[in-house]
Amino acid sequence: MASSIDTIPGPPHDGQAADAADPARGLTAAEVAERVAAGEVNALPPRSGRTTGQIVHDNVFTRINAMLGVLLVFVLATGSWINAAFGLLIIANSAIGIVQELRAKRTLDSLAVVGEAHPRVRRDGAEAQIERDDVVLDDIVLIGPGEQIVVDGVVTESAYLEVDESLLTGESDPIPKKPGDEIMSGSFVASGTGGYRATKVGEDAYAAQLTAEAAKFSLVHSELQAGIDWILKAITWVLVPVGVLTIIGQIRVGADGWREIILSVSGALVPMIPEGLVLITSTAFALGVIRLGRRKCLVNELPAIEGLARVDVVCADKTGTLTENAMAFGSLEALGGHGEEEAREALRQLGAADDAPNSSMAAIVDGVGRAERPWTVTARQPFTSAKKWSGMSFAEGGDWVLGAPDVLASSGSSRAAAAAGERAQEIASTGLRVLLLGRAGAEVTAEGAPGEVDPVALVVLEQKIRPDAAGTLEYFRNQGVEVKVISGDNADSVGAVTRSLGMDSGAPVDARRIPDADFDGVVNESHVFGRVTPQQKRAMVSALQGAGHTVAMTGDGVNDVLALKDADLGVAMGSGTAATRSVAKIVLLDDKFATLPHVVGEGRRVLGNIERVANLFLTKTIYSSILAILVLLFAVPFPFQPIHVTITGWFTIGIPAFILSLPPNNERARDGFVGRVMRFGFPAGAVVAVASFATFMAVRDPHPTAQQAAQASTAALVALIVSATWVLATVARPYEWWKIALIGLPLVGYGVIFTTGVTQRVFKLDSGNLEAMAVGTATGLIGAAVIEALWWILQRATGERRPYWLPKAEREAAAAQRRLERKALRAERAAERSAGR
């Protein structure tokens, strides 16, 4: 029997210092201090992409905050605090983004896997447990089953040591490691024990290099926010000249003092800034993040939920996504003259003697149990991807092997061995995993093992399909989202799983056999891929993007990091590596692929509803800009003060927009956000501006008293509110009862404001001139009629027929969705109360 423990004291290896200590002794305290002084310690780069300071800076110093901030300073200088109420939006706009991104950063940092490791090292001949960051170059790091490799190194001692490098290479089988073999950070010990000398620490280690490259922060692209930014840039170029011309115009019409000029200019410029649109967008994103958080889905950036709503291709792994990580025992098929009970007893003994069973052996043990009276083990041979079999020699039961049928059957020359191989291939073609149990012709550790193999039975294992996988695939299919299943497993096995889930995926493709010249075409045309290498994953993302697709990539290992970063939206599993969670925009904390449809739903809710309310804000920007221009052209005082446009925004824009941003919305994401909003918002804003200005010109006195000026402004404000309310009425379609209330109740609120003495004094209004009020109301109604006609014309021109009332089926679906959300919320609160007790 070969020795189970190998060691290497020998000369330095590649990357090893010439004065490295004996592995049996490890470094001395003086040698450790010397390396610490030289900076040869395992100091890693930050785990998160951005620091707290960067997050605060990026959310405070924005274009819209700059515009509002300048105007706020001017208004405060006048001493009119009521007119400076719009400044609160600066705080709100900044706070929402800062709070959400800091929350995501804290969660990511707490999830860091490598950061939680406490490696064991040998120093001065004694074993000690230290912090990850305290490992130094040439340290002898001791490892055992389940422990993670925290730095790169060279194995110095090995006792049946096998390392799982699937998070680095995608290879699911453990790799045996003997003295002299390299070992990489990010992998972990599958079985056995050993030690290794640290040859690369800190930023030089493999996993740290990938993490550093992945952590170069880049915001997910958001067409919604890009469109809003474009609007803000356009407004920036308009504000300065309009502001200067407004000052000149107010001086020409005899404005009384600098305070009046500043308030007039602010009254003209503040409504031109769609400040509420930015706030509503951030709020809608944040509420979506909260909803997804209840489903154990962490969103690293607010716009990320928009990203998946636009995705048309989702690349998903099989294991852990469509199937559970564990296998299930299926059946046992005895071969030749052997009985099933003989095979079961052998499997029980193999299971009892395996101290660190892999997923296949764990499934077998669950199926057949463990031996009550274990046999005495005389030799053991762990499974390796090179051999494709494992075995044990028993004093009482002889030599047994378990592994790949195509390998073990070829070790036997009998007709039974050939028949076993053919039968195994027949079963494997259905996608099931098959292992061959047989008697070896030699001790399992002997030279030339296993020798002549006598097939005893075929062990059939089944992959556990996630119960929610079929529904998730069906959802994406119904929504027109293409799913590409990319796996490192056997292509036939992957294809069998997708077929069992009802996925019309065509013939599975073995990625190893894709010609380089046809790679892009095959990737875009096929749906199921097996034996995919880590390098191919990144190339697949590029091929799909090159064909015009918006790609989401799911992953959990270090080998997935760069593919996740290249994808339009990276989705990491919570149980994956810290590197993948850091680079991904969305992290599924409970590893449930079925959460993605909820992310799509939240994205569509945000996109559809924000586009709807953007019409309201853009209309305000347009009518404010046109009013400022008309005032300049006709050389008249600006009709409104900042507080007037503030109360107008309350009920015709702000509150309704917030409520309209909340309900479910299943409209598919489309490109061209700015164009669609401008088609309605620009002419509607022009109508509102003309109605309001026409009223002002019709009722104003050329040489007004203060009371007459207030009455003219109030009448113009009535015309503006009536026509702007009809903009809300068109945008809110199709109607439901609560939308009718949303339109009607604000009119009641305005009635109170315009008729109550206290509110008129506070808001600087005067409705005492009934004739002027009648003119304002009539002009506003005419403007509403024109807006209704405009809505009909645009509906017919674009082919987008939005009904007045929501169809019954959609009403029932929306109500059902709201009930489910309330039920989920109640269940969550009940669980929290139960946990608290």
Side-chain angles (χ1 to χ4, degrees):
M1 176 179 172
S3 172
S4 62
I5 301 178
D6 298 314
T7 61
I8 181 169
H13 304 286
D14 183 26
Q16 178 180 330
D19 60 346
D22 180 357
R25 176 180 58 84
L27 297 176
T28 65
E31 290 170 333
V32 171
E34 179 184 338
R35 284 160 175 76
V36 171
E40 297 172 337
V41 295
N42 191 42
L44 294 180
R47 300 182 188 118
S48 300
R50 288 195 293 177
T51 65
T52 299
Q54 289 172 325
I55 291 173
V56 173
H57 177 277
D58 292 347
N59 282 278
V60 171
F61 296 98
T62 63
R63 183 182 299 271
I64 197 163
N65 282 356
M67 291 188 288
L68 290 174
V70 171
L71 292 175
L72 177 64
V73 170
F74 285 128
V75 171
L76 289 175
T78 68
S80 180
W81 293 89
I82 188 66
N83 280 307
F86 65 87
L88 296 174
L89 290 169
I90 298 176
I91 300 174
N93 281 336
S94 303
I96 291 175
I98 291 172
V99 170
Q100 172 53 32
E101 292 193 33
L102 287 178
R103 172 181 171 271
K105 175 181 169 62
R106 284 196 302 271
T107 304
L108 276 178
D109 286 345
S110 67
L111 286 170
V113 174
V114 175
E116 297 300 324
H118 292 80
R120 295 174 294 121
V121 297
R122 183 179 293 140
R123 293 177 177 174
D124 288 318
E127 179 182 322
Q129 189 172 58
I130 62 175
E131 296 293 330
R132 173 206 63 178
D133 293 351
D134 293 338
V135 176
V136 300
L137 193 67
D138 295 322
D139 249 330
I140 301 301
V141 184
L142 305 177
I143 46 179
E147 293 184 345
Q148 191 173 36
I149 311 302
V150 294
V151 295
D152 295 356
V154 174
V155 176
T156 57
E157 56 194 79
S158 169
Y160 303 114
L161 179 64
E162 289 191 319
V163 174
D164 187 331
E165 297 182 345
S166 60
L167 296 180
L168 302 176
T169 66
E171 171 60 57
S172 59
D173 296 327
I175 307 298
K177 295 292 183 180
K178 60 183 183 297
D181 288 347
E182 291 187 353
I183 196 167
M184 291 189 293
S185 55
S187 57
F188 61 91
V189 179
S191 62
T193 60
Y196 66 96
R197 186 189 305 278
T199 58
K200 293 181 180 179
V201 296
E203 296 181 357
D204 294 331
Y206 179 72
Q209 289 176 352
L210 279 178
T211 303
E213 181 177 349
K216 293 174 182 176
F217 188 79
S218 61
L219 283 170
V220 63
H221 174 70
S222 166
E223 183 180 339
L224 186 64
Q225 290 196 335
I228 294 173
D229 287 342
W230 184 90
I231 293 171
L232 292 178
K233 288 178 182 177
I235 292 172
T236 303
W237 288 102
V238 173
L239 279 178
V240 175
V242 169
V244 172
L245 292 175
T246 303
I247 293 173
I248 296 172
Q250 296 306 300
I251 294 174
R252 286 173 53 196
V253 299
D256 186 16
W258 65 271
R259 288 183 174 83
E260 183 180 343
I261 292 175
I262 287 178
L263 292 177
S264 295
V265 172
S266 299
L269 300 185
V270 169
M272 292 173 61
I273 304 172
E275 73 286 347
L277 178 58
V278 177
L279 176 61
I280 292 293
T281 301
S282 298
T283 303
F285 277 138
L287 290 175
V289 168
I290 292 171
R291 291 190 187 99
L292 292 174
R294 293 172 182 158
R295 300 183 183 277
K296 307 301 181 184
C297 176
L298 172 67
V299 180
N300 290 345
E301 300 170 20
L302 293 180
I305 57 176
E306 175 193 348
L308 194 49
R310 297 190 184 279
V311 161
D312 59 359
V313 175
V314 174
C315 297
D317 195 2
K318 174 184 70 69
T319 305
T321 300
L322 304 181
T323 64
E324 297 181 5
N325 290 316
M327 305 288 288
F329 180 80
S331 61
L332 189 65
E333 186 174 316
L335 300 172
H338 298 282
E340 183 176 327
E341 185 54 36
E342 176 190 2
R344 285 183 176 272
E345 180 60 24
L347 291 173
R348 293 188 191 103
Q349 294 294 341
L350 290 172
D354 194 339
D355 296 329
N358 58 23
S359 59
S360 298
M361 182 54 74
I364 292 172
V365 170
D366 288 341
V368 302
R370 291 182 181 271
E372 295 181 0
R373 297 180 179 179
W375 294 339
T376 303
V377 179
T378 59
R380 69 178 72 212
Q381 186 65 262
F383 178 88
T384 68
S385 58
K387 297 193 311 290
K388 299 293 185 185
W389 62 270
S390 62
M392 291 192 186
S393 296
F394 300 99
E396 299 89 339
D399 307 301
W400 290 88
V401 289
L402 179 69
D406 56 337
V407 174
L408 294 178
S410 65
S411 298
S413 57
S414 66
R415 182 176 300 176
E422 293 175 1
R423 177 57 181 157
Q425 180 60 34
E426 181 182 341
I427 297 174
S429 65
T430 65
L432 297 173
R433 184 170 186 180
V434 186
L435 300 176
L436 175 63
L437 173 69
R439 285 186 175 272
E443 188 180 65
V444 295
T445 56
E447 188 73 24
E452 184 80 14
V453 175
D454 176 21
V456 175
L458 293 176
V459 182
V460 181
L461 301 177
E462 298 175 350
Q463 294 173 312
K464 294 182 180 180
I465 305 294
R466 285 189 177 272
D468 49 20
T472 304
L473 292 177
E474 182 180 4
Y475 172 87
F476 283 126
R477 183 167 56 250
N478 294 337
Q479 297 298 324
V481 178
E482 189 177 359
V483 177
K484 304 275 187 182
V485 180
I486 300 175
S487 175
D489 288 348
N490 178 275
D492 289 333
S493 176
V494 181
V497 169
T498 57
R499 286 193 297 273
S500 71
L501 293 171
M503 181 176 171
D504 184 16
S505 54
V509 176
D510 189 324
R512 297 172 299 181
R513 298 186 174 91
I514 302 177
D516 291 341
D518 299 334
F519 187 83
D520 288 5
V522 172
V523 169
N524 280 280
E525 293 171 5
S526 303
H527 296 82
V528 177
F529 302 87
R531 300 304 185 196
V532 180
T533 65
Q535 295 77 14
Q536 286 178 316
K537 284 189 178 183
R538 192 177 191 185
M540 285 179 170
V541 171
S542 177
L544 291 168
Q545 291 173 329
H549 293 293
T550 304
V551 183
M553 169 65 76
T554 66
D556 58 2
V558 174
N559 63 301
D560 297 323
V561 165
L562 299 180
L564 288 174
K565 187 170 180 63
D566 287 352
D568 297 283
L569 191 72
V571 182
M573 299 299 173
S575 62
T577 63
T580 55
R581 293 194 302 266
S582 177
V583 71
K585 306 307 180 187
I586 291 176
V587 181
L588 304 180
L589 299 178
D590 57 1
D591 295 355
K592 287 186 178 180
F593 182 57
T595 303
L596 289 187
H598 298 290
V599 181
V600 173
E602 286 301 331
R604 290 185 175 179
R605 181 201 302 258
V606 171
L607 261 65
N609 291 339
I610 293 302
E611 182 170 325
R612 184 192 300 265
V613 302
N615 286 286
L616 298 177
F617 289 101
L618 188 60
T619 298
K620 186 193 76 163
T621 296
I622 297 301
Y623 71 62
S624 301
S625 302
I626 294 177
L627 275 174
I629 294 171
L630 290 174
V631 165
L632 292 173
L633 292 176
F634 286 83
V636 296
F638 194 79
F640 307 126
Q641 294 192 36
I643 190 58
H644 292 158
V645 294
T646 299
I647 63 173
T648 302
W650 284 351
F651 295 133
T652 63
I653 300 173
I655 296 174
F658 177 74
I659 296 175
L660 288 173
S661 69
L662 300 178
N665 190 322
N666 292 319
E667 294 181 13
R668 293 190 59 183
R670 299 173 294 163
D671 294 334
F673 161 74
V674 174
R676 285 192 302 276
V677 172
M678 290 292 290
R679 276 198 299 270
F680 178 78
F682 193 92
V687 171
V688 174
V690 170
S692 179
F693 189 75
T695 300
F696 181 69
M697 295 299 291
V699 302
R700 71 179 292 269
D701 189 286
H703 304 287
T705 63
Q707 182 181 24
Q708 290 173 331
Q711 290 173 345
S713 294
T714 304
L717 191 60
V718 168
L720 187 148
I721 287 173
V722 171
S723 52
T725 299
W726 202 254
V727 173
L728 170 63
T730 57
V731 167
R733 294 169 186 165
Y735 295 135
E736 297 180 72
W737 68 266
W738 61 269
K739 290 182 180 179
I740 298 296
L742 186 67
I743 298 168
L745 290 178
L747 296 178
V748 176
Y750 282 125
V752 173
I753 290 175
F754 278 79
T755 57
T756 304
V758 174
T759 55
Q760 288 195 70
R761 286 193 298 273
V762 170
F763 298 120
K764 305 182 185 304
L765 301 171
D766 188 341
S767 60
N769 189 332
L770 298 181
E771 181 179 351
M773 295 295 288
V775 171
T777 303
T779 308
L781 291 174
I782 294 172
V786 174
I787 291 170
E788 177 68 17
L790 171 66
W791 183 79
W792 272 100
I793 292 171
L794 288 176
Q795 289 280 296
R796 294 183 178 276
T798 60
E800 299 176 3
R801 301 296 180 89
R802 185 180 296 173
Y804 275 102
W805 294 94
L806 190 68
K808 182 180 178 181
E810 293 187 25
R811 287 201 306 272
E812 292 174 350
Q817 185 168 344
R818 287 193 291 268
R819 286 195 297 271
L820 286 174
E821 290 178 353
R822 288 195 294 268
K823 182 178 179 180
L825 180 59
R826 288 195 296 269
E828 178 193 3
R829 290 174 176 171
E832 290 176 351
R833 288 194 296 270
S834 177
R837 289 195 295 269

